[in-house]
Amino acid sequence: MVHDAHDPARDDRDPVREGRKLARSFGWLAVLGALLVLGGIVGLIYTGAATLTSMLLFGWLLLIGGAVGLLHAIESRGTSYFWLAVVVAALNIAAGLVVIRHPEGSAEALTMFAALLFLTGGVFRLVGSVVVRGPQFGWTLLQGAFGLLLGLLVLFDWPHSSRYVLGTFFSLALLFDGLGLVAIGVGGRRIVSMVAPKATLNGGTGTPPKSSEEGQERSNN
C-alpha cells in the first residue's frame, strides 16, 4: 500500500477551510452594513450634525484629492498636461479649504445647487413625458412631478433647508448602502453554509465513492 506524502499546500486548498474563510468574510461584510445602517439612522435623527459631518468629509476628500493630484502633477512635469493638472489640483485644494473652514456656508451653496438640479430635472422630465408619451409615460411624469415638488420645497425653505437636506440625503445613502451590505453578507453566508457540507463528502472532493468495491480497490492501490 502506497501512502501519499503529506502536502502542506493541500491544507490551504481545503474546501472546508476556504468555506469558513469565505463565510467569515461575508460576516464582516454584514457587520459593516449594520454599522452603516446604524449611522444612517443616527444621521436621520440628528440631521444637522449629519449635514456638518458630510460637509467636513466632502472638504477633506477635496483636500486630499487635490494634494494627491498635485503630487502626481509634479511627478509628471515636462508633459503636455502638467499645468492643467496643477490648476485642477490647486482648485480642489482651495475648494477643500473653503468647505472645511466654512461648512455652513458651503452647505447653503450646495443646497441651492441641489434645489436647482431638482427643479431643472423635474421640468425636463415633465416636458419630455408629455411630448414623447412613451411606454413609461406615467412613471416619468411622476418622477418629474416629484423632482419639481422637491426642488420647490427645498428652495422655498432656503437657507434654513440647508441644515437638514444634505444630512438627510447623506443619512439615507448610508442607510440603503448598509442594508445592501447586510443583505449581501447574510445571503453569502447562507449560500456558503449550503455549499460547504457538500465539500466534506469523500474527504473534501465533493463526491462520495460510487460503491464499496470501488472504495476497496482504492484502498488496495
Side-chain angles (χ1 to χ4, degrees):
M1 182 182 297
V2 179
H3 296 279
D4 294 335
H6 179 69
D7 187 4
R10 183 174 299 177
D11 295 335
D12 297 334
R13 296 191 298 269
D14 186 7
V16 178
R17 181 173 299 180
E18 294 296 327
R20 291 175 181 174
K21 291 182 180 179
L22 189 59
R24 192 178 301 113
S25 300
F26 279 117
W28 283 113
L29 194 64
V31 171
L32 176 60
L35 291 177
L36 291 180
V37 170
L38 181 61
I41 294 175
V42 173
L44 290 175
I45 297 174
Y46 303 101
T47 53
T51 298
L52 291 179
T53 302
S54 62
M55 293 310 303
L56 291 175
L57 180 62
F58 180 60
W60 279 108
L61 288 176
L62 285 175
L63 186 60
I64 295 173
V68 173
L70 185 60
L71 291 176
H72 180 70
I74 294 175
E75 291 179 355
S76 61
R77 59 183 178 275
T79 59
S80 58
Y81 58 88
F82 168 71
W83 288 109
L84 178 61
V86 170
V87 170
V88 172
L91 289 176
N92 286 332
I93 292 175
L97 291 175
V98 170
V99 172
I100 292 173
R101 295 188 61 182
H102 306 284
E104 296 181 356
S106 302
E108 293 179 1
L110 287 179
T111 302
M112 173 66 74
F113 182 68
L116 294 177
L117 283 180
F118 288 139
L119 284 174
T120 54
V123 170
F124 275 109
R125 283 191 176 92
L126 284 175
V127 174
S129 62
V130 172
V131 172
V132 178
R133 291 183 177 273
Q136 302 294 330
F137 168 73
W139 180 247
T140 307
L141 186 66
L142 181 62
Q143 284 182 329
F146 180 76
L148 183 62
L149 179 62
L150 185 60
L152 290 175
L153 290 176
V154 174
L155 192 60
F156 288 159
D157 198 29
W158 189 86
H160 181 265
S161 60
S162 62
R163 300 178 182 177
Y164 59 86
V165 169
L166 297 179
T168 301
F169 291 162
F170 180 69
S171 301
L172 288 175
L174 286 180
L175 181 62
F176 287 115
D177 288 343
L179 290 175
L181 290 179
V182 169
I184 294 174
V186 174
R189 283 181 63 89
R190 185 174 301 175
I191 294 174
V192 171
S193 64
M194 293 172 60
V195 175
K198 298 180 181 180
T200 61
L201 297 175
N202 195 25
T205 59
T207 56
K210 296 181 180 179
S211 61
S212 58
E213 290 81 7
E214 183 178 352
Q216 184 67 27
E217 290 178 1
R218 291 183 179 179
S219 62
N220 293 333
N221 293 332

